[in-house]
Amino acid sequence: QVQLVQSGADLKKPGASVKVSCKASGYTFTSFFLHWVRQAPGQGLEWMGMINPNGGDTVYAQKFRGRVTMTRETSTSTFQIELNSLRTEDTAVYYCASPDCSSLTCPLDYWGQGTLVTVSS
Amino acid sequence: EIVLTQSPATLSLSPGERATLSCRASQSVRSNYLAWYQQKPGQAPRLVIFAASSRAAGIPDRFSGSGSGTDFTLTISSLEPEDFAVYFCHRYGSSPWTFGQGTKVEIK
């Protein structure tokens, strides 16, 4: 079965960078786009962008352009998101998620367990 | 960007009652690429409905979705104890993918 397993919680200071990883298993790694969604404490869900594991093309939400980088490593079936110039308002649970089909017209069926990133001085 | 507005923010109901959740889009949602997710505290969201009215795998038939264009509804016909959670609507299919702010269904 499809599994997305994320790296553990992290604490960063304002201005620093953070990397969160997401290891995929249970399906052909290059089959489905991988999305990143975050959720600030007590708040709603916010889409950050997506990556095509075939070739590595990315689409980022405008809010994060210039500050976010999404990558994939085919040899280890792992995705990664890096967010730079962290601010306290970046404190959130970061989720990786994927659809169950190779088309962009599919919702997010599978989710990682989430990674809490805390930004505090 | 298509903005999704959910109402009400909180729905206080008793087990066995019917829940009706609304999601309104600022522009028409192409091909009804509208999904609903359930989220419980400390858990990742779980897909409930996709394509406005199709139930995801393993979702009981007390959950139903309807609507098209800019107005969508999630209905839970008879609330079970495990249904009390936060529900988010979600527009997918083209960038930027967006979410509503959520409706909390709480026990009255």
Side-chain angles (χ1 to χ4, degrees), chain A residues 35 39 47 95 104-106 108, chain B residues 33 37 39 43 47 93 97:
Chain A
H35 298 246
Q39 186 171 37
W47 182 77
Y95 292 102
L104 282 174
T105 59
C106 294
L108 301 173
Chain B
Y33 291 142
Y37 295 86
Q39 188 179 34
Q43 296 184 16
L47 181 65
W97 294 31

Side-chain angles (χ1 to χ4, degrees), chain B residues 14-106:
Chain B
S14 300
E17 289 193 295
R18 182 184 189 90
T20 303
L21 288 66
S22 173
C23 176
R24 178 160 291 177
S26 60
Q27 304 169 42
S28 183
V29 176
R30 180 175 69 97
S31 300
N32 287 344
Y33 291 142
L34 192 287
W36 291 90
Y37 295 86
Q38 176 193 74
Q39 188 179 34
K40 297 179 180 179
Q43 296 184 16
R46 176 192 182 193
L47 181 65
V48 176
I49 297 286
F50 66 96
S53 60
S54 297
R55 271 189 302 277
I59 299 300
D61 60 8
R62 63 179 179 273
F63 288 88
S64 63
S66 63
S68 63
T70 60
D71 289 295
F72 298 88
T73 300
L74 174 68
T75 301
I76 310 171
S77 60
S78 178
L79 283 163
E80 296 288 338
E82 61 268 28
D83 300 336
F84 291 91
V86 179
Y87 292 84
F88 295 95
C89 59
H90 169 51
R91 188 213 71 117
Y92 57 97
S94 61
S95 179
W97 294 31
T98 54
F99 292 89
Q101 80 280 18
T103 290
K104 182 179 182 180
V105 179
E106 64 176 22

Side-chain angles (χ1 to χ4, degrees), chain A:
Chain A
Q1 73 282 18
V2 174
Q3 277 199 304
L4 300 172
V5 179
Q6 299 183 223
S7 50
D10 210 341
L11 172 63
K12 295 292 184 183
K13 294 191 184 300
S17 298
V18 69
K19 292 181 181 180
V20 176
S21 67
C22 171
K23 184 171 176 61
S25 63
Y27 71 101
T28 302
F29 179 73
T30 52
S31 295
F32 311 141
F33 282 74
L34 191 285
H35 298 246
W36 290 93
V37 176
R38 76 177 187 180
Q39 186 171 37
Q43 303 301 309
L45 301 167
E46 182 174 34
W47 182 77
M48 300 181 70
M50 61 183 172
I51 181 168
N52 183 349
N54 249 321
D57 290 342
T58 54
V59 178
Y60 300 140
Q62 186 169 8
K63 175 178 179 177
F64 300 103
R65 285 176 201 160
R67 211 160 64 93
V68 70
T69 304
M70 296 177 189
T71 58
R72 94 281 187 233
E73 176 54 63
T74 305
S75 63
T76 58
S77 299
T78 301
F79 298 91
Q80 187 173 79
I81 184 172
E82 180 176 14
L83 189 61
N84 302 317
S85 304
L86 289 169
R87 320 185 249 263
T88 55
E89 52 266 39
D90 292 318
T91 294
V93 175
Y94 289 74
Y95 292 102
C96 59
S98 81
D100 193 21
C101 76
S102 58
S103 167
L104 282 174
T105 59
C106 294
L108 301 173
D109 285 82
Y110 305 109
W111 294 69
Q113 82 276 19
T115 297
L116 174 62
V117 174
T118 304
V119 183
S120 173
S121 55

